[in-house]
Structure formats: C-alpha cells, structure tokens
C-alpha cells in the first residue's frame, strides 16, 4: 500500500510540474482564498456561536443553582394563598395571559372544574413566569403539562390542564 501512496504522490508532483507557472499561481492563490473564506465564513461564526451558547448555559446553570437554593424555603412556606377573586378559571387564565402577552391557541373544560389550555410558539421563560404568577396570585395549579420545543429557539408548544384546589 505504501508503494501505491508513493506512486500517487509522484503522479501528483508530476502533474503539478506539468502545469504552467500561471496555472500554479492561480491554484495557490485560489487555495489561499478558499482557506481565508473558510476561516471568515465558517470557523469564526462557529466560534462566536459556541462562546455565546456557553455563556447562556452558564447563566441557566446559575439560575438553576439559585432555584435549587430557594426551593426548600418555598416548600417550607407552603402553598400561596389564593386571591379573593371569584372569577371563573377561564376568565383568570384569559386575562392574565393577555396581560402577560401570551396568546392562547385553545382552551376548553377539563374534568373536575379544570381548564385545558394550549399555546403554540410562546417564549418558554414567559410561559413559566405566567404559570408561577397564576399559582401565586390566584392559587391556580398545573395538574398536567406537556411542553415541547417549537421551531424557533426559546419558543415552545405547550398543552396543560389548570385547576383550583
């Protein structure tokens, strides 16, 4: 196999030498331009993306560490008192979603006075904050949830059942 490789190397040197000086210059300059373009159009943007995503992961890990540190305090505090509102669950959900800037793609009754809610392509962080506010202000609890990634980064499709205890 080594003889074959040596033969190919000899053949490529022979073909290189058979090129005119102008053709060799064009190939060398073209190769240099290709390397520069690769660095500028592929390597540098990829490096920037990796650095940006690494920073985002570090922020999310810090957020998670903070959440884990306050979880025992929240658990010890017990459930948040519900607001004194007597509005139906669907009214609370629709109004609070509108105030938060979330669009509901569907709602419907669920067993035992619950409310089934669907959302498409909503910001994950906004959705979680909204659910937390519903629980804190009105005592609304998530009975079941299904959250999946949407096409765009940071957006999710969500279906869940909300209810009051």
């Amino acid at each position: 196999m080594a003889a074959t490789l040596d033969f190919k190397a000899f053949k490529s040197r022979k073909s290189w030498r058979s090129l005119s000086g102008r053709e060799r210059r064009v190939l060398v300059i073209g190769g240099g331009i290709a390397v520069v373009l690769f660095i500028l159009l592929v390597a540098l943007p990829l490096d920037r993306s990796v650095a940006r995503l690494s920073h985002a992961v570090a922020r999310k890990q810090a957020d998670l560490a903070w959440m884990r540190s306050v979880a025992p305090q929240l658990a010890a505090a017990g459930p948040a008192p519900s607001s004194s509102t007597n509005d139906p669950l669907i009214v609370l959900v629709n109004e609070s979603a509108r105030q938060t800037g979330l669009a509901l793609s569907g709602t419907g009754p669920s067993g035992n006075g619950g409310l089934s809610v669907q959302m498409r392509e909503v910001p994950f962080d906004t959705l979680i904050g909204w659910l937390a506010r519903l629980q804190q202000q009105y005592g609304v609890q998530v009975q079941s949830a299904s959250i999946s990634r949407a096409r765009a980064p940071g957006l999710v499709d969500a279906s869940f059942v909300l209810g009051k205890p």
Side-chain angles (χ1 to χ4, degrees):
M1 178 140 185
T4 306
L5 292 175
D6 290 340
F7 176 72
K8 287 182 181 179
F10 175 75
K11 189 175 180 181
S12 66
R13 284 188 198 134
K14 189 175 182 182
S15 61
W16 177 259
R17 288 185 188 134
S18 69
L19 297 174
S20 70
R22 184 176 186 179
E23 290 172 330
R24 284 188 225 157
R25 278 191 301 275
V26 167
L27 287 175
V28 169
I29 292 171
I33 290 172
V35 168
V36 169
L37 286 176
F38 176 79
I39 290 171
L40 292 175
L41 298 175
V42 177
L44 290 177
L46 184 62
D47 183 54
R48 287 185 197 117
S49 294
V50 168
R52 181 178 42 83
L53 291 174
S54 295
H55 182 67
V57 166
R59 277 194 328 256
K60 296 294 182 184
Q61 286 175 334
D63 290 346
L64 178 61
W66 175 81
M67 285 185 219
R68 285 183 175 158
S69 72
V70 298
Q73 297 167 351
L74 292 175
S82 63
S83 175
S84 62
T85 183
N86 290 328
D87 290 337
L89 184 57
I90 191 158
V91 172
L92 293 174
V93 169
N94 281 331
E95 285 296 314
S96 63
R98 184 183 50 77
Q99 291 170 354
T100 306
L102 292 172
L104 304 178
S105 60
T107 59
S110 183
N112 297 330
L115 180 67
S116 175
V117 178
Q118 293 82 37
M119 296 180 172
R120 299 286 170 246
E121 296 188 359
V122 296
F124 177 77
D125 294 339
T126 305
L127 174 66
I128 298 302
W130 174 68
L131 290 171
R133 278 190 300 283
L134 277 176
Q135 199 278 327
Q136 291 168 353
Q137 292 177 355
Y138 306 111
V140 175
Q141 295 180 346
V142 177
Q143 295 173 347
S144 66
S146 173
I147 300 174
S148 60
R149 275 191 258 184
R151 283 179 260 155
L155 299 181
V156 295
D157 295 333
S159 297
F160 39 88
V161 176
L162 302 175
K164 283 190 167 185

